[in-house]
Amino acid sequence: MATTVSDGGRDASRYRSAQIGLTRLLVRDIRGLRRLIIPSRLRQSMPDWLAAMQAVIDQYSFASAALGAEFYDAQRDAAGVPGVFTASVTDPPPEGKTEASLRWATKDVWEREPDVATEAQSQPLAVRLEQAAKKAEAVAQKLVADTGRSTVTGAVREDAQATAWARTAALGACAFCKLIASRGAVFKQDTARFEAHDGCHCGAIPIFRGQRFELSPQAAEWARLYQEYAVGHSGSQLARFRRALAEHDPNPLPGAF
């Protein structure tokens, strides 16, 4: 008898909660590294901060990937599909990608000539450093979470018994994430990547041969709202969907995406 899997199942919620808990620990450790940045010696101290950030992101990426592999293997066992398969953990992001992301996050801390400085670059150094720290936290969160997500989606691609994956979004997710989650198990085995933004806590849940996917009640309601308020309005679907959520969805919606 075919089993049913849902984006709102208990296992998916627990896995998402575990990744959120990992993010909290990541942010805690990242904030502890701010002491390495010495404002009076910015160019001399920044390399030490970058190296420490790389090490922390690598550490938490391994943990995120391990959580993803454990979740995938447990879902496969629960589905009762034949054969033996063990999900492979995704490697941490390449050093060059992490460094480029962090340099983007901190680009406004460097002093510019007044005639070429942007509004953000014209702020006092303390303000620029605070904004850079927030961007760095968001960048690190995405790099770490993507490692866990790619472990699950990568296993789907490699496992002959997997057919697709679906996005699982929290009740308080943004409009984009709710829209994608409402589409269900449309991401087939060869789907290349999981689209996510900074601060995104969505996960991927695998679907195996013989399983039937069913939208959770909240995702079904998101799908209904999209059909009623956004379909047929080319170029403004997401904006219309966001307004519909704000007016009709009882769950909190972030202020911006």
Side-chain angles (χ1 to χ4, degrees):
M1 181 177 179
T3 59
T4 300
V5 63
S6 171
D7 62 285
R10 182 179 299 176
D11 291 344
S13 296
R14 285 177 175 173
Y15 171 57
R16 192 168 56 244
S17 295
Q19 291 285 9
I20 291 173
L22 193 68
T23 291
R24 292 194 183 103
L25 296 175
L26 169 70
V27 170
R28 179 203 64 188
D29 287 356
I30 284 175
R31 288 177 179 173
L33 297 178
R34 292 187 190 181
R35 68 184 187 279
L36 297 176
I37 300 177
I38 304 171
S40 61
R41 300 179 61 250
L42 201 58
R43 293 194 180 278
Q44 293 82 3
S45 61
M46 188 65 77
D48 290 338
W49 176 81
L50 286 171
M53 286 288 290
Q54 176 78 54
V56 169
I57 290 171
D58 284 354
Q59 174 189 351
Y60 278 94
S61 293
F62 279 121
S64 178
L67 284 174
E70 181 180 347
F71 171 69
Y72 185 91
D73 292 342
Q75 290 298 110
R76 195 181 196 277
D77 289 344
V81 296
V84 177
F85 178 87
T86 301
S88 300
V89 296
T90 299
D91 290 333
E95 182 176 341
K97 180 178 181 179
T98 299
E99 181 175 348
S101 298
L102 293 173
R103 288 192 181 280
W104 170 85
T106 57
K107 63 183 177 62
D108 290 336
V109 304
W110 307 106
E111 192 170 347
R112 305 295 205 285
E113 293 295 330
D115 58 334
V116 297
T118 64
E119 182 178 352
Q121 294 163 352
S122 301
Q123 297 296 317
L125 179 57
V127 175
R128 302 201 306 271
L129 285 171
E130 183 63 27
Q131 292 302 315
K134 291 179 180 178
K135 289 181 181 179
E137 288 176 10
V139 161
Q141 181 274 331
K142 184 177 186 302
L143 289 170
V144 168
D146 280 349
T147 309
R149 289 186 279 249
S150 64
T151 294
V152 176
T153 58
V156 169
R157 287 194 297 272
E158 297 170 3
D159 188 353
Q161 293 298 328
T163 60
W165 55 271
R167 191 186 192 102
T168 67
L171 294 177
C174 71
F176 172 81
C177 293
K178 288 180 176 179
L179 174 59
I180 302 303
S182 73
R183 293 176 177 173
V186 298
F187 304 100
K188 301 306 179 185
Q189 189 179 32
D190 60 350
T191 301
R193 56 182 298 183
F194 188 113
E195 295 291 342
H197 55 83
D198 290 350
C200 176
H201 295 295
C202 290
I205 185 168
I207 294 91
F208 300 96
R209 298 187 188 281
Q211 280 192 313
R212 182 174 65 89
F213 181 81
E214 184 177 274
L215 280 177
S216 62
Q218 64 265 21
E221 175 63 6
W222 299 335
R224 185 192 70 79
L225 290 173
Y226 182 77
Q227 287 293 322
E228 182 173 348
Y229 293 97
V231 168
H233 298 277
S234 179
S236 62
Q237 292 100 324
L238 184 58
R240 287 175 175 270
F241 181 57
R242 186 184 290 110
R243 286 197 296 269
L245 289 171
E247 294 175 5
H248 303 287
D249 185 4
N251 304 300
L253 188 67
F257 163 61

